[in-house]
Amino acid sequence: MNALLRLQSELGRLVSVDPHDLAASRTDKSGWVADGTPLAVVRATTVDHVQAVLRIATEFRVPVVTRGAGTGLAGGACGTDGSIVLSVAGLGRILEINPDDELAVVEAGVINQHLNDVLAQQNLWFAPDPASKAISTVGGNIATNAGGLLCAKYGVTREAVLGLTVVLADGSLLRTGHRTVKGVTGYDLTALLTGSEGTLGVIVEATVRVRSLTPGTVATIGAVFETVTAAAAASAAVTAARIRPAIMELIDPVALGLVATYLGPEGSAGLPLGRGAFLLVQTDGPAALAEAEAALAVLRAAGGEASLSTDAASGDRLLAIRRAMHPALEQFGRVLIEDVAVPRSRMAEMFAAIAEISARTGIAIPTVAHAGDGNLHPNFVIPRGDTADASVPEEIWAAADELFQAALALGGTLTGEHGVGVLKRRWLQGEIGDTSLALQRQLKAVFDPLGILNPGTMFDA
């Protein structure tokens, strides 16, 4: 009996070999399409199902690619040739909400926004805020250590994870972490598994930290600057003034021009979006108005044309400018969303480097940044051709290589929130060095001695 027959025998209707399902599993939101055809897609709905898949995969030495909602941006959950694509999107139960201890226990397939909708009924919320929160899963957020707009104030996903339940490569179950506010017993396997991109185990359940809903006013500032370097310097000045906005987002002139065209005059919120760079600042909590007024003074002193609003509708119109970024770009082709981070004080230099690379290569690189934490997303728009070719042109990879090197030279990192996946593995060694790479490969081998868990993600297969 082979692996597929064993899967079908033990899991029946959960196993699909439908060509449409197999094809859909080969790509994610990055646009990357894996080579070849997966063996099968298994839609698990219980932890037992996940354990059965891993036991069979170990027995037959078949690779397993774990998949949630498929919203990843680094190609790390794409079904490779001959692999079992293990979907945990069907593990969708919220198992516990504990307001007294400010925690929740959820299965991996719970949608981020759905969790927050349920938490809101008890005046609670889950802070991790990826742009895909309406469709992304908590398990996927944890597997990639996802970020989002609120990271500068509320942290990335890792800071909200207390404990995990993980199925290991041989099908055994590992529980890590704790339910207490503090806990330092043994090695921190929870932190190690968070951001491991499916290479060490399959996350099936998580105990996460939740917060009381933030009370008070929400204040929003929209500001336009003549240049992106001026806007980046202004955002760094806000940080240097010890003001901690919940959101601080920056759109460069190339991207802003596309957004202005996409939204039209009615979507401009009264700001001159046809020129310069746009900086969005939003504060929350009891001191929101005082913080916003202090930030407004900093932005105006830095040369920004800025306005402040505490009206929810006005704030939403300003946020809509930021949210329109990728829909605007998608009008012109397939978007490769890159992800680097630099120290906040050096963002202006990184924007200048991107502009120089763009001017020299002739490749447009519209860029948006989570300016509050120095995380930039340079974008490449690849025109849609008449063929099904999903490859990225080499000249774009060459430009991306230059901007990655520029980020590292400024004391930055290759990825702030998307993960390494498949798309960035060629640059991993350049950032972390030979010693760290060797140790990380050894860790992978401890958890996955046969190398069946997401091979080719993070490390070369």
Short mmCIF file of all heavy atoms in Angstrom, two decimals, residues 389-446:
data_model
loop_
_atom_site.label_atom_id
_atom_site.label_comp_id
_atom_site.label_asym_id
_atom_site.label_seq_id
_atom_site.Cartn_x
_atom_site.Cartn_y
_atom_site.Cartn_z
N ASP A 389 2.50 31.92 -16.98
CA ASP A 389 3.82 32.01 -16.35
C ASP A 389 3.74 32.89 -15.11
O ASP A 389 3.40 34.06 -15.18
CB ASP A 389 4.83 32.59 -17.36
CG ASP A 389 6.23 32.66 -16.77
OD1 ASP A 389 6.47 32.03 -15.73
OD2 ASP A 389 7.08 33.36 -17.35
N ALA A 390 4.05 32.31 -13.95
CA ALA A 390 3.98 33.06 -12.69
C ALA A 390 5.37 33.39 -12.16
O ALA A 390 5.51 33.77 -11.01
CB ALA A 390 3.21 32.24 -11.66
N SER A 391 6.39 33.23 -12.98
CA SER A 391 7.74 33.50 -12.51
C SER A 391 7.98 35.00 -12.36
O SER A 391 7.28 35.83 -12.95
CB SER A 391 8.77 32.91 -13.48
OG SER A 391 8.67 33.54 -14.74
N VAL A 392 8.96 35.32 -11.54
CA VAL A 392 9.35 36.71 -11.33
C VAL A 392 10.54 37.00 -12.24
O VAL A 392 11.54 36.28 -12.21
CB VAL A 392 9.74 36.95 -9.86
CG1 VAL A 392 10.25 38.38 -9.67
CG2 VAL A 392 8.53 36.69 -8.95
N PRO A 393 10.47 38.05 -13.06
CA PRO A 393 11.59 38.36 -13.97
C PRO A 393 12.89 38.55 -13.20
O PRO A 393 12.91 39.11 -12.09
CB PRO A 393 11.14 39.65 -14.65
CG PRO A 393 9.64 39.63 -14.57
CD PRO A 393 9.32 38.95 -13.27
N GLU A 394 13.99 38.12 -13.80
CA GLU A 394 15.28 38.18 -13.13
C GLU A 394 15.70 39.61 -12.80
O GLU A 394 16.37 39.86 -11.81
CB GLU A 394 16.36 37.50 -13.98
CG GLU A 394 16.36 35.99 -13.85
CD GLU A 394 16.47 35.52 -12.39
OE1 GLU A 394 17.34 36.03 -11.66
OE2 GLU A 394 15.69 34.64 -12.00
N GLU A 395 15.32 40.59 -13.64
CA GLU A 395 15.69 41.97 -13.34
C GLU A 395 15.02 42.48 -12.07
O GLU A 395 15.57 43.32 -11.36
CB GLU A 395 15.36 42.89 -14.52
CG GLU A 395 13.91 42.96 -14.92
CD GLU A 395 13.51 41.95 -15.99
OE1 GLU A 395 14.21 40.92 -16.13
OE2 GLU A 395 12.50 42.20 -16.68
N ILE A 396 13.84 41.93 -11.77
CA ILE A 396 13.18 42.31 -10.52
C ILE A 396 13.89 41.66 -9.33
O ILE A 396 14.11 42.31 -8.30
CB ILE A 396 11.68 41.94 -10.57
CG1 ILE A 396 10.96 42.90 -11.51
CG2 ILE A 396 11.06 41.97 -9.17
CD1 ILE A 396 9.47 42.68 -11.64
N TRP A 397 14.28 40.39 -9.47
CA TRP A 397 15.04 39.77 -8.39
C TRP A 397 16.36 40.50 -8.16
O TRP A 397 16.82 40.64 -7.02
CB TRP A 397 15.31 38.30 -8.69
CG TRP A 397 14.18 37.36 -8.38
CD1 TRP A 397 13.69 36.38 -9.17
CD2 TRP A 397 13.40 37.31 -7.18
NE1 TRP A 397 12.65 35.71 -8.55
CE2 TRP A 397 12.46 36.26 -7.32
CE3 TRP A 397 13.40 38.04 -5.99
CZ2 TRP A 397 11.54 35.93 -6.34
CZ3 TRP A 397 12.48 37.71 -5.01
CH2 TRP A 397 11.56 36.68 -5.19
N ALA A 398 16.98 40.97 -9.23
CA ALA A 398 18.24 41.70 -9.09
C ALA A 398 18.03 43.00 -8.32
O ALA A 398 18.83 43.36 -7.44
CB ALA A 398 18.84 41.99 -10.46
N ALA A 399 16.94 43.72 -8.63
CA ALA A 399 16.63 44.94 -7.89
C ALA A 399 16.29 44.63 -6.44
O ALA A 399 16.70 45.35 -5.51
CB ALA A 399 15.47 45.69 -8.56
N ALA A 400 15.55 43.53 -6.22
CA ALA A 400 15.21 43.12 -4.86
C ALA A 400 16.47 42.78 -4.08
O ALA A 400 16.61 43.16 -2.90
CB ALA A 400 14.27 41.92 -4.89
N ASP A 401 17.42 42.11 -4.72
CA ASP A 401 18.69 41.78 -4.07
C ASP A 401 19.39 43.06 -3.59
O ASP A 401 19.90 43.11 -2.47
CB ASP A 401 19.59 41.01 -5.03
CG ASP A 401 20.95 40.71 -4.43
OD1 ASP A 401 21.03 39.80 -3.60
OD2 ASP A 401 21.92 41.40 -4.79
N GLU A 402 19.38 44.07 -4.42
CA GLU A 402 20.02 45.34 -4.03
C GLU A 402 19.34 45.97 -2.83
O GLU A 402 20.01 46.49 -1.93
CB GLU A 402 20.02 46.31 -5.22
CG GLU A 402 20.97 45.95 -6.33
CD GLU A 402 21.20 47.12 -7.26
OE1 GLU A 402 21.44 48.23 -6.77
OE2 GLU A 402 21.11 46.92 -8.49
N LEU A 403 18.01 45.95 -2.82
CA LEU A 403 17.35 46.60 -1.68
C LEU A 403 17.50 45.77 -0.41
O LEU A 403 17.58 46.32 0.70
CB LEU A 403 15.90 46.94 -2.00
CG LEU A 403 14.84 45.87 -2.17
CD1 LEU A 403 14.21 45.50 -0.82
CD2 LEU A 403 13.74 46.38 -3.11
N PHE A 404 17.58 44.43 -0.53
CA PHE A 404 17.85 43.60 0.65
C PHE A 404 19.23 43.93 1.22
O PHE A 404 19.41 44.07 2.44
CB PHE A 404 17.79 42.11 0.31
CG PHE A 404 16.43 41.61 -0.11
CD1 PHE A 404 16.31 40.53 -0.95
CD2 PHE A 404 15.28 42.23 0.33
CE1 PHE A 404 15.07 40.07 -1.35
CE2 PHE A 404 14.02 41.79 -0.06
CZ PHE A 404 13.93 40.70 -0.90
N GLN A 405 20.21 44.05 0.34
CA GLN A 405 21.57 44.36 0.79
C GLN A 405 21.61 45.75 1.43
O GLN A 405 22.32 45.96 2.42
CB GLN A 405 22.55 44.28 -0.38
CG GLN A 405 22.65 42.92 -1.06
CD GLN A 405 23.02 41.80 -0.10
OE1 GLN A 405 23.73 42.02 0.88
NE2 GLN A 405 22.54 40.59 -0.37
N ALA A 406 20.85 46.69 0.89
CA ALA A 406 20.80 48.03 1.46
C ALA A 406 20.21 47.99 2.87
O ALA A 406 20.71 48.66 3.79
CB ALA A 406 19.97 48.96 0.57
N ALA A 407 19.16 47.19 3.06
CA ALA A 407 18.54 47.07 4.39
C ALA A 407 19.53 46.49 5.39
O ALA A 407 19.65 46.98 6.53
CB ALA A 407 17.28 46.22 4.32
N LEU A 408 20.25 45.45 4.99
CA LEU A 408 21.23 44.84 5.90
C LEU A 408 22.35 45.82 6.24
O LEU A 408 22.80 45.89 7.39
CB LEU A 408 21.81 43.57 5.27
CG LEU A 408 20.84 42.40 5.06
CD1 LEU A 408 21.55 41.25 4.37
CD2 LEU A 408 20.24 41.94 6.38
N ALA A 409 22.78 46.61 5.25
CA ALA A 409 23.84 47.57 5.49
C ALA A 409 23.43 48.66 6.47
O ALA A 409 24.28 49.25 7.15
CB ALA A 409 24.28 48.20 4.16
N LEU A 410 22.12 48.90 6.58
CA LEU A 410 21.61 49.91 7.52
C LEU A 410 21.30 49.31 8.89
O LEU A 410 20.69 49.97 9.73
CB LEU A 410 20.36 50.57 6.94
CG LEU A 410 20.58 51.46 5.70
CD1 LEU A 410 19.25 51.86 5.09
CD2 LEU A 410 21.39 52.70 6.08
N GLY A 411 21.72 48.07 9.11
CA GLY A 411 21.44 47.41 10.39
C GLY A 411 20.08 46.78 10.45
O GLY A 411 19.54 46.53 11.53
N GLY A 412 19.50 46.49 9.26
CA GLY A 412 18.15 45.96 9.21
C GLY A 412 18.11 44.46 9.00
O GLY A 412 19.08 43.74 9.20
N THR A 413 16.93 44.00 8.53
CA THR A 413 16.67 42.57 8.38
C THR A 413 15.91 42.32 7.09
O THR A 413 15.21 43.22 6.58
CB THR A 413 15.89 42.02 9.58
OG1 THR A 413 15.63 40.62 9.38
CG2 THR A 413 14.56 42.72 9.77
N LEU A 414 16.03 41.10 6.56
CA LEU A 414 15.39 40.73 5.30
C LEU A 414 13.88 40.65 5.39
O LEU A 414 13.19 40.78 4.39
CB LEU A 414 15.90 39.34 4.86
CG LEU A 414 17.37 39.22 4.52
CD1 LEU A 414 17.73 37.76 4.36
CD2 LEU A 414 17.68 39.98 3.24
N THR A 415 13.36 40.37 6.57
CA THR A 415 11.91 40.25 6.71
C THR A 415 11.47 40.66 8.10
O THR A 415 11.99 40.16 9.10
CB THR A 415 11.43 38.82 6.38
OG1 THR A 415 10.02 38.72 6.66
CG2 THR A 415 12.19 37.75 7.15
N GLY A 416 10.52 41.59 8.14
CA GLY A 416 9.99 42.03 9.42
C GLY A 416 8.77 41.24 9.85
O GLY A 416 8.49 41.14 11.04
N GLU A 417 8.04 40.66 8.86
CA GLU A 417 6.80 39.99 9.25
C GLU A 417 6.31 38.92 8.27
O GLU A 417 5.47 38.11 8.63
CB GLU A 417 5.68 41.03 9.45
CG GLU A 417 5.38 41.89 8.24
CD GLU A 417 4.37 43.00 8.53
OE1 GLU A 417 4.05 43.21 9.71
OE2 GLU A 417 3.92 43.64 7.58
N HIS A 418 6.81 38.87 7.06
CA HIS A 418 6.30 37.89 6.10
C HIS A 418 6.93 36.52 6.26
O HIS A 418 6.35 35.52 5.86
CB HIS A 418 6.55 38.37 4.66
CG HIS A 418 5.75 39.56 4.27
ND1 HIS A 418 5.93 40.23 3.08
CD2 HIS A 418 4.76 40.23 4.93
CE1 HIS A 418 5.08 41.25 3.02
NE2 HIS A 418 4.39 41.27 4.13
N GLY A 419 8.14 36.46 6.81
CA GLY A 419 8.86 35.21 6.93
C GLY A 419 9.80 35.00 5.75
O GLY A 419 9.80 35.74 4.76
N VAL A 420 10.61 33.95 5.86
CA VAL A 420 11.59 33.63 4.82
C VAL A 420 10.92 32.86 3.69
O VAL A 420 11.09 33.17 2.51
CB VAL A 420 12.75 32.80 5.41
CG1 VAL A 420 13.69 32.32 4.31
CG2 VAL A 420 13.50 33.62 6.44
N GLY A 421 10.13 31.85 4.04
CA GLY A 421 9.43 31.05 3.05
C GLY A 421 10.36 30.48 2.01
O GLY A 421 11.50 30.07 2.29
N VAL A 422 9.90 30.49 0.77
CA VAL A 422 10.70 30.05 -0.36
C VAL A 422 11.41 31.25 -1.00
O VAL A 422 12.55 31.17 -1.44
CB VAL A 422 9.81 29.35 -1.41
CG1 VAL A 422 10.57 29.08 -2.69
CG2 VAL A 422 9.25 28.05 -0.84
N LEU A 423 10.72 32.38 -0.99
CA LEU A 423 11.19 33.52 -1.78
C LEU A 423 12.45 34.16 -1.23
O LEU A 423 13.19 34.81 -1.98
CB LEU A 423 10.07 34.56 -1.88
CG LEU A 423 8.80 34.10 -2.62
CD1 LEU A 423 7.79 35.23 -2.70
CD2 LEU A 423 9.14 33.58 -4.01
N LYS A 424 12.75 34.02 0.07
CA LYS A 424 13.92 34.71 0.63
C LYS A 424 15.00 33.78 1.14
O LYS A 424 15.98 34.23 1.72
CB LYS A 424 13.47 35.65 1.76
CG LYS A 424 12.72 36.86 1.25
CD LYS A 424 12.57 37.93 2.30
CE LYS A 424 11.98 39.17 1.68
NZ LYS A 424 11.78 40.25 2.66
N ARG A 425 14.85 32.51 0.90
CA ARG A 425 15.81 31.58 1.49
C ARG A 425 17.22 31.80 0.92
O ARG A 425 18.22 31.54 1.60
CB ARG A 425 15.36 30.13 1.27
CG ARG A 425 15.33 29.70 -0.17
CD ARG A 425 14.66 28.35 -0.35
NE ARG A 425 14.66 27.97 -1.75
CZ ARG A 425 13.94 26.97 -2.25
NH1 ARG A 425 13.18 26.25 -1.44
NH2 ARG A 425 13.99 26.69 -3.53
N ARG A 426 17.34 32.29 -0.31
CA ARG A 426 18.66 32.48 -0.91
C ARG A 426 19.47 33.58 -0.21
O ARG A 426 20.68 33.64 -0.34
CB ARG A 426 18.54 32.81 -2.40
CG ARG A 426 17.98 34.20 -2.70
CD ARG A 426 18.00 34.51 -4.20
NE ARG A 426 16.80 34.03 -4.86
CZ ARG A 426 16.49 34.33 -6.13
NH1 ARG A 426 17.31 35.05 -6.86
NH2 ARG A 426 15.37 33.88 -6.67
N TRP A 427 18.77 34.44 0.57
CA TRP A 427 19.45 35.53 1.27
C TRP A 427 19.63 35.27 2.76
O TRP A 427 20.23 36.06 3.47
CB TRP A 427 18.68 36.84 1.08
CG TRP A 427 18.72 37.35 -0.34
CD1 TRP A 427 19.76 38.01 -0.94
CD2 TRP A 427 17.69 37.24 -1.32
NE1 TRP A 427 19.44 38.32 -2.24
CE2 TRP A 427 18.17 37.86 -2.50
CE3 TRP A 427 16.41 36.70 -1.33
CZ2 TRP A 427 17.42 37.94 -3.67
CZ3 TRP A 427 15.66 36.78 -2.50
CH2 TRP A 427 16.16 37.38 -3.65
N LEU A 428 19.10 34.15 3.25
CA LEU A 428 19.11 33.89 4.68
C LEU A 428 20.53 33.85 5.25
O LEU A 428 20.83 34.49 6.27
CB LEU A 428 18.38 32.56 4.98
CG LEU A 428 18.34 32.12 6.44
CD1 LEU A 428 17.55 33.10 7.29
CD2 LEU A 428 17.73 30.72 6.54
N GLN A 429 21.41 33.10 4.61
CA GLN A 429 22.76 32.95 5.13
C GLN A 429 23.48 34.29 5.22
O GLN A 429 24.24 34.54 6.15
CB GLN A 429 23.56 31.99 4.25
CG GLN A 429 24.96 31.67 4.78
CD GLN A 429 25.64 30.58 3.97
OE1 GLN A 429 25.12 30.15 2.94
NE2 GLN A 429 26.78 30.12 4.42
N GLY A 430 23.22 35.18 4.27
CA GLY A 430 23.87 36.48 4.27
C GLY A 430 23.52 37.32 5.48
O GLY A 430 24.33 38.15 5.91
N GLU A 431 22.32 37.12 6.04
CA GLU A 431 21.95 37.88 7.23
C GLU A 431 22.40 37.20 8.51
O GLU A 431 22.98 37.84 9.38
CB GLU A 431 20.44 38.10 7.30
CG GLU A 431 20.04 38.82 8.58
CD GLU A 431 18.58 39.21 8.66
OE1 GLU A 431 17.90 39.27 7.62
OE2 GLU A 431 18.11 39.49 9.79
N ILE A 432 22.14 35.90 8.65
CA ILE A 432 22.36 35.27 9.96
C ILE A 432 23.76 34.69 10.12
O ILE A 432 24.20 34.42 11.24
CB ILE A 432 21.30 34.19 10.25
CG1 ILE A 432 21.43 33.01 9.30
CG2 ILE A 432 19.89 34.79 10.17
CD1 ILE A 432 20.48 31.85 9.63
N GLY A 433 24.48 34.45 9.01
CA GLY A 433 25.85 33.93 9.09
C GLY A 433 25.92 32.42 9.14
O GLY A 433 24.93 31.73 9.39
N ASP A 434 27.12 31.91 8.92
CA ASP A 434 27.33 30.47 8.82
C ASP A 434 27.03 29.72 10.11
O ASP A 434 26.42 28.65 10.10
CB ASP A 434 28.78 30.18 8.41
CG ASP A 434 29.10 30.66 7.01
OD1 ASP A 434 28.15 30.96 6.24
OD2 ASP A 434 30.30 30.77 6.69
N THR A 435 27.47 30.27 11.25
CA THR A 435 27.30 29.56 12.52
C THR A 435 25.83 29.42 12.87
O THR A 435 25.35 28.33 13.24
CB THR A 435 28.05 30.29 13.65
OG1 THR A 435 29.43 30.37 13.32
CG2 THR A 435 27.88 29.55 14.97
N SER A 436 25.08 30.52 12.75
CA SER A 436 23.66 30.47 13.05
C SER A 436 22.91 29.57 12.09
O SER A 436 22.03 28.80 12.50
CB SER A 436 23.06 31.88 13.01
OG SER A 436 21.68 31.86 13.29
N LEU A 437 23.26 29.63 10.81
CA LEU A 437 22.58 28.78 9.83
C LEU A 437 22.80 27.30 10.16
O LEU A 437 21.86 26.50 10.11
CB LEU A 437 23.09 29.09 8.42
CG LEU A 437 22.45 28.28 7.30
CD1 LEU A 437 20.96 28.59 7.20
CD2 LEU A 437 23.14 28.56 5.96
N ALA A 438 24.03 26.95 10.52
CA ALA A 438 24.32 25.55 10.86
C ALA A 438 23.53 25.10 12.09
O ALA A 438 22.97 24.00 12.11
CB ALA A 438 25.82 25.38 11.11
N LEU A 439 23.45 25.95 13.11
CA LEU A 439 22.68 25.61 14.30
C LEU A 439 21.20 25.47 13.98
O LEU A 439 20.52 24.57 14.50
CB LEU A 439 22.88 26.68 15.37
CG LEU A 439 24.22 26.65 16.12
CD1 LEU A 439 24.38 27.90 16.98
CD2 LEU A 439 24.31 25.40 16.99
N GLN A 440 20.68 26.36 13.13
CA GLN A 440 19.26 26.28 12.80
C GLN A 440 18.95 25.02 12.00
O GLN A 440 17.90 24.39 12.19
CB GLN A 440 18.84 27.54 12.05
CG GLN A 440 18.87 28.77 12.95
CD GLN A 440 18.23 29.99 12.34
OE1 GLN A 440 17.24 29.89 11.64
NE2 GLN A 440 18.78 31.16 12.63
N ARG A 441 19.85 24.63 11.14
CA ARG A 441 19.65 23.36 10.42
C ARG A 441 19.67 22.17 11.38
O ARG A 441 18.91 21.21 11.23
CB ARG A 441 20.74 23.19 9.36
CG ARG A 441 20.55 24.05 8.11
CD ARG A 441 21.60 23.70 7.07
NE ARG A 441 21.41 24.39 5.82
CZ ARG A 441 20.55 24.01 4.85
NH1 ARG A 441 19.81 22.93 5.04
NH2 ARG A 441 20.46 24.68 3.73
N GLN A 442 20.53 22.24 12.40
CA GLN A 442 20.57 21.16 13.40
C GLN A 442 19.28 21.11 14.21
O GLN A 442 18.78 20.02 14.53
CB GLN A 442 21.78 21.36 14.31
CG GLN A 442 23.13 21.12 13.63
CD GLN A 442 24.29 21.49 14.52
OE1 GLN A 442 24.36 21.10 15.68
NE2 GLN A 442 25.24 22.25 13.97
N LEU A 443 18.74 22.28 14.55
CA LEU A 443 17.46 22.32 15.25
C LEU A 443 16.36 21.69 14.39
O LEU A 443 15.53 20.92 14.88
CB LEU A 443 17.09 23.76 15.60
CG LEU A 443 17.79 24.38 16.80
CD1 LEU A 443 17.54 25.88 16.85
CD2 LEU A 443 17.30 23.72 18.10
N LYS A 444 16.35 22.04 13.13
CA LYS A 444 15.38 21.45 12.20
C LYS A 444 15.48 19.92 12.22
O LYS A 444 14.47 19.21 12.28
CB LYS A 444 15.64 22.01 10.81
CG LYS A 444 15.06 21.22 9.64
CD LYS A 444 13.60 21.44 9.46
CE LYS A 444 13.13 20.86 8.13
NZ LYS A 444 11.67 20.72 8.05
N ALA A 445 16.71 19.41 12.21
CA ALA A 445 16.92 17.96 12.18
C ALA A 445 16.45 17.28 13.46
O ALA A 445 16.00 16.13 13.44
CB ALA A 445 18.39 17.64 11.92
N VAL A 446 16.54 17.98 14.61
CA VAL A 446 16.07 17.41 15.88
C VAL A 446 14.56 17.22 15.84
O VAL A 446 14.02 16.18 16.24
CB VAL A 446 16.46 18.33 17.05
CG1 VAL A 446 15.74 17.91 18.34
CG2 VAL A 446 17.97 18.29 17.27
#
